[in-house]
Amino acid sequence: MACIDRASPALKQILLKLYRDSSSLIYSAEKSIEIDHHLYEFGSVEYHIQSQASNPLVAYLSLSIPPLCHGTLPNTLSSYTIEKIKGICPNLVEIEEPAREGFQLTLKLNLDHIPRNKDYVKVIEDISTIQSVILSSQLKEILWNVNSDDAVQGMYKPIKVVYHPREPFFVIRQPQKIIAIFPIRFKENSDVIIATAFFQELVDVGNSDKWIKTPPCSWSAIPPPELRGEAFEDLNTNGGFVSFEISSRHVEGNRLDKTVWNLLNFNANVRYHVKSTKGFIHRRMRKRLENLVQVLHQTNSEENEQTKQVKKHQGCRYTKKLVKSSKHTMKQRWRTLGRKIKRIPFRLKIHGFTRFRQRWLRFPKFSSTKYTKLE
Amino acid sequence: MGSTLRLYLTCIRNTLHAAMCLQNFPCQEVERHNKPEVELKSSPELLLNPVVICRNEAEKCLIETSINSLRISLKVKQADELENILTKKFLRFLSMRAEAFQVLRRKPVQGYDISFLITNYHCEEMQKQKLIDFIVQFMEDIDKEISELKMSVNTRGRLVATEFLKQFI
C-alpha cells in the first residue's frame, strides 16, 4: 500500500525515468524534452517535479506538506528538519532558497552525480523518502521540545498530531515514557467489528512473552484518562482507543525512525487490514457458494441419471415385448393362412395333388434365434 | 453439544418428511393461476399449522406448510458481534444468488436469517428425500462455515498484528 511505504512510489518512478532519459541523452544525439509533473499523495502532500530542456541533467523537486501539529510547529521547516534532508544524499541534493511559490521546500537534484552502477535505484529510493524524513523529524521535534510549562501535576498536555485530516492521534509525554493514543472511527458498523477483533488480537500478541520488546499496547472503548479535557469531536469515536507506550529502548538509534513511521501509519495499516479482510471474506463466501451449488447440481444429476436408467430399462422391456409379441402374431398369422389355403376347395381334382400340396405347399418356419453362417 | 445438534436436525428432518406432501393446486381466486399458497395465505383451509422447532433461544426453525408449497425459515446462532456480521453477510450473499439454489427464497421471513420455499414443482423435478437431505446438510454447512470464517478472521488479525509489532524490533 502506497501510503505505508516510506518511499513514494510515484515519485520514485518519475525520478527513475528522468535519470534513464538523462543517461540516454549523454550517449545519443536525441533532443531533450521538458518535464513538469504535479503529484498529490496521502497525507495532503504535493510534489512538483520539473526538468528543463536546456539543462536535462538538473531536476527541481518542490514539496508542500502540512505541519504535523498545528500551533506547536511553524509552517516552515525547522533547521533540524533541513539538516535531516541534507543528510539524504549530500552530493546530489541541494536546497534551493527561496522555495518555489506555494511550496515549503525546493530541492535541486544533480542527476549526473547519481552513480552509474546498480546503486542508482537505492539512491533514487532514498530521495523518494523525503516525505517520511520530514514527518519523522517533525514528530521527533514534537516529542523532544515539549514545554515544561505544559506539565500539570507531572502530567504533560496531550499533543494532537494530524497526519490525515480526519484521523488525528494524540501523543502524551510522561517522565519515563511516551504514550500514543489513536481514536478509531469507521463509517460502517461491520468495519468497527472487524477492527475491534483485530485490536483484541494485537493486545493479546503484544502482551505475550515472546513480544515483550515491542511497545505494550491496549484498547479501550472509552477515552483513557490521559485524554480528559480534550475536545468532544476528537473523543467521539465508534472504534474505541488504541494506546501504545513508547519507552526509551524503542527510540534508540535506528529504531526511532521505524517507531515514528509505524505510529504515523497505524491508522492506515488498520484500514488496509479491514479492507483486505472484507475481500477475503467475500472470496471465501463465493467459493463456498460454488461448493453448495455443486452439491445441489450433483444431487440433481444423480437423480437425472437414475431416471434415465429407469426409462432406458423400461424402453428395453418395451421393445422386447414388442419383438416377442410381433413374433408370436406373425407365427399365428402364418398358421391361419396355411390352414385357409389348405381348406380352399379345388374344383379340379388331381390325383396325388393333395399329397403334393400337403408336403410342398407349406410355409417355412423361420427361427430368429438360429442362423446359418454363409461361407 | 453435538448430541443436541443431532437431535435438532433429526427433529427437523422428520418434520419435513411429514410436511413435504405437496400436490398441484391451482389458485382458487384467480383463474389459470398457480401460486404457492404458503406465501399468499389467502385460504386458511389450504394451510397447515406452522411448526417451530427450537434448539435454544438463538436457534430455531419455522416450517409452514400448505397444499402446494412449503416454507422453511432458519435462525442461525450468533454468539458475538463478529459472528453476527459474518452470518448476515454470508446469508445475504446466498440469498442474492437464490436462482442458483432454486429452492432458496431471496428474502428471509421476518425474524429469521434465511428461508427456503419448496413447491410441488420442485418435488416433481427432485426427489423428496434428497431435498430434505440437502436442507439438513445446508444447515450443518452454514454453522461450520460461520465458525471457520470467524476463526480465519481472527487468525488473519493475529498474523497482521505480529507483522506490525515486528517492525518495532
Side-chain angles (χ1 to χ4, degrees):
Chain A
M1 196 173 155
C3 60
I4 298 173
D5 291 336
R6 294 177 72 89
S8 162
L11 180 61
K12 184 178 163 187
Q13 196 179 0
I14 291 170
L15 289 176
L16 275 173
K17 189 174 178 302
L18 256 176
Y19 170 73
R20 284 172 188 149
D21 288 346
S22 66
S23 303
S24 64
L25 283 170
I26 293 168
Y27 299 107
S28 67
E30 284 176 19
K31 201 176 170 185
S32 60
I33 52 171
E34 271 200 28
I35 286 170
D36 198 323
H37 287 287
H38 280 268
L39 294 175
Y40 297 90
E41 281 196 354
F42 183 85
S44 309
V45 179
E46 186 187 347
Y47 296 102
H48 181 213
I49 305 121
Q50 218 173 9
S51 171
Q52 289 169 355
S54 55
N55 195 359
L57 295 175
V58 171
Y60 292 92
L61 171 63
S62 302
L63 177 69
S64 167
I65 183 167
L68 263 184
C69 183
H70 295 277
T72 305
L73 291 175
N75 257 357
T76 54
L77 298 173
S78 65
S79 54
Y80 175 72
T81 307
I82 288 173
E83 285 304 314
K84 280 285 175 186
I85 293 167
K86 282 179 183 172
I88 293 174
C89 293
N91 300 334
L92 182 63
V93 173
E94 289 172 25
I95 296 177
E96 281 268 305
E97 294 285 351
R100 301 275 167 97
E101 196 180 339
F103 296 94
Q104 289 150 324
L105 176 72
T106 300
L107 299 175
K108 182 182 171 187
L109 306 175
N110 298 312
L111 298 175
D112 53 343
H113 289 349
I114 295 176
R116 298 286 164 195
N117 52 18
K118 290 179 187 175
D119 290 337
Y120 75 92
V121 176
K122 176 130 189 353
V123 168
I124 287 172
E125 197 173 321
D126 287 341
I127 297 170
S128 309
T129 61
I130 186 153
Q131 184 211 358
S132 67
V133 167
I134 293 172
L135 288 173
S136 303
S137 61
Q138 283 182 346
L139 189 57
K140 283 175 214 170
E141 276 188 279
I142 289 167
L143 298 175
W144 285 340
N145 299 331
V146 170
N147 198 342
S148 58
D149 293 340
D150 290 336
V152 175
Q153 294 178 357
M155 289 284 291
Y156 290 91
K157 195 182 168 187
I159 303 163
K160 185 176 169 182
V161 179
V162 181
Y163 181 34
H164 188 275
R166 287 190 297 273
E167 295 166 6
F169 66 97
F170 294 91
V171 170
I172 299 119
R173 177 123 188 224
Q174 289 186 350
Q176 300 295 325
K177 59 189 175 186
I178 294 163
I179 301 177
I181 302 176
F182 296 86
I184 304 292
R185 284 178 202 90
F186 284 100
K187 282 183 186 168
E188 291 181 17
N189 191 40
S190 57
D191 293 355
V192 172
I193 292 165
I194 294 170
T196 310
F198 168 64
F199 296 142
Q200 283 166 356
E201 293 297 329
L202 183 68
V203 168
D204 277 342
V205 170
N207 293 337
S208 61
D209 292 336
K210 192 181 168 189
W211 299 97
I212 203 159
K213 288 182 184 174
T214 58
C217 59
S218 60
W219 178 81
S220 72
I222 57 170
E226 291 89 356
L227 292 185
R228 270 181 205 157
E230 290 301 313
F232 178 72
E233 58 265 15
D234 292 332
L235 302 184
N236 186 19
T237 65
N238 58 3
F241 296 82
V242 179
S243 309
F244 287 96
E245 289 180 12
I246 312 292
S247 58
S248 54
R249 66 172 167 200
H250 301 122
V251 296
E252 284 167 354
N254 290 338
R255 286 186 198 153
L256 176 62
D257 278 335
K258 282 185 196 174
T259 302
V260 162
W261 188 245
N262 289 339
L263 289 177
L264 285 171
N265 286 290
F266 176 70
N267 258 316
N269 270 304
V270 170
R271 280 168 207 287
Y272 183 60
H273 167 68
V274 167
K275 185 179 168 186
S276 54
T277 302
K278 281 161 77 172
F280 164 75
I281 291 169
H282 208 81
R283 276 196 305 277
R284 208 177 148 126
M285 288 195 300
R286 199 178 285 277
K287 200 174 168 188
R288 197 70 182 123
L289 170 75
E290 283 171 13
N291 291 344
L292 286 170
V293 167
Q294 210 174 22
V295 167
L296 184 68
H297 287 166
Q298 201 178 8
T299 312
N300 280 351
S301 63
E302 279 174 10
E303 289 172 8
N304 286 342
E305 273 183 25
Q306 281 178 6
T307 49
K308 272 183 191 169
Q309 278 180 2
V310 166
K311 279 184 183 170
K312 192 180 164 188
H313 285 306
Q314 282 176 350
C316 283
R317 277 184 225 144
Y318 179 72
T319 31
K320 277 180 188 170
K321 272 186 188 172
L322 190 67
V323 165
K324 275 184 190 171
S325 63
S326 65
K327 267 189 194 172
H328 184 64
T329 48
M330 286 290 284
K331 278 183 183 174
Q332 275 187 333
R333 281 180 192 166
W334 282 121
R335 278 183 211 141
T336 49
L337 190 63
R339 280 185 215 128
K340 277 180 187 173
I341 290 170
K342 285 174 188 174
R343 282 186 211 136
I344 294 170
F346 282 94
R347 287 187 186 174
L348 294 172
K349 267 195 179 175
I350 300 167
H351 289 288
F353 186 71
T354 313
R355 208 179 279 176
F356 172 79
R357 199 177 67 183
Q358 280 172 1
R359 192 175 174 187
W360 296 109
L361 291 180
R362 274 184 194 173
F363 287 100
K365 285 180 188 174
F366 294 103
S367 70
S368 59
T369 52
K370 292 179 190 174
Y371 77 96
T372 51
K373 190 177 173 185
L374 296 172
E375 289 177 6
Chain B
M1 180 84 167
S3 61
T4 57
L5 176 67
R6 284 287 122 210
L7 287 171
Y8 176 58
L9 294 175
T10 308
C11 184
I12 289 173
R13 184 187 286 275
N14 293 340
T15 311
L16 284 175
H17 193 75
M20 209 179 280
C21 299
L22 308 175
Q23 63 185 36
N24 189 23
F25 193 87
C27 183
Q28 287 180 321
E29 290 168 2
V30 182
E31 222 176 271
R32 301 178 76 176
H33 275 219
N34 200 319
K35 299 172 188 175
E37 295 295 334
V38 77
E39 295 285 347
L40 288 177
K41 297 194 175 172
S42 53
S43 307
E45 68 274 13
L46 302 174
L47 304 173
L48 290 175
N49 289 330
V51 175
V52 178
I53 302 163
C54 297
R55 186 181 173 194
N56 48 46
E57 288 170 0
E59 276 185 271
K60 55 184 176 177
C61 171
L62 170 67
I63 299 172
E64 299 162 283
T65 320
S66 70
I67 188 157
N68 64 354
S69 50
L70 168 71
R71 192 162 67 184
I72 306 151
S73 305
L74 303 170
K75 182 108 179 77
V76 179
K77 75 158 181 197
Q78 290 148 41
D80 53 19
E81 283 183 341
L82 184 60
E83 274 191 16
N84 192 356
I85 59 152
L86 290 175
T87 307
K88 269 190 190 160
K89 277 184 179 293
F90 186 44
L91 294 179
R92 192 167 182 274
F93 185 85
L94 294 180
S95 300
M96 288 295 114
R97 288 150 186 82
E99 66 277 359
F101 289 96
Q102 299 177 48
V103 294
L104 194 60
R105 204 169 177 258
R106 275 199 180 272
K107 202 173 167 191
V109 167
Q110 201 170 8
Y112 292 85
D113 296 318
I114 193 162
S115 297
F116 294 89
L117 177 67
I118 301 172
T119 62
N120 56 297
Y121 297 113
H122 295 134
C123 291
E124 284 165 21
E125 284 166 10
M126 299 180 242
Q127 285 185 21
K128 174 179 155 181
Q129 199 53 46
K130 296 280 184 191
L131 264 176
I132 296 170
D133 288 343
F134 170 72
I135 288 174
V136 171
Q137 187 64 36
F138 185 91
M139 288 172 70
E140 279 182 331
D141 287 346
I142 290 288
D143 276 344
K144 196 171 128 192
E145 184 60 26
I146 301 293
S147 304
E148 281 176 10
L149 262 175
K150 183 181 172 186
M151 214 163 357
S152 304
V153 167
N154 285 335
T155 307
R156 273 179 70 93
R158 185 163 277 265
L159 284 170
V160 169
T162 309
E163 287 303 315
F164 178 74
L165 291 174
K166 257 189 209 174
Q167 294 171 34
F168 285 100
I169 299 174

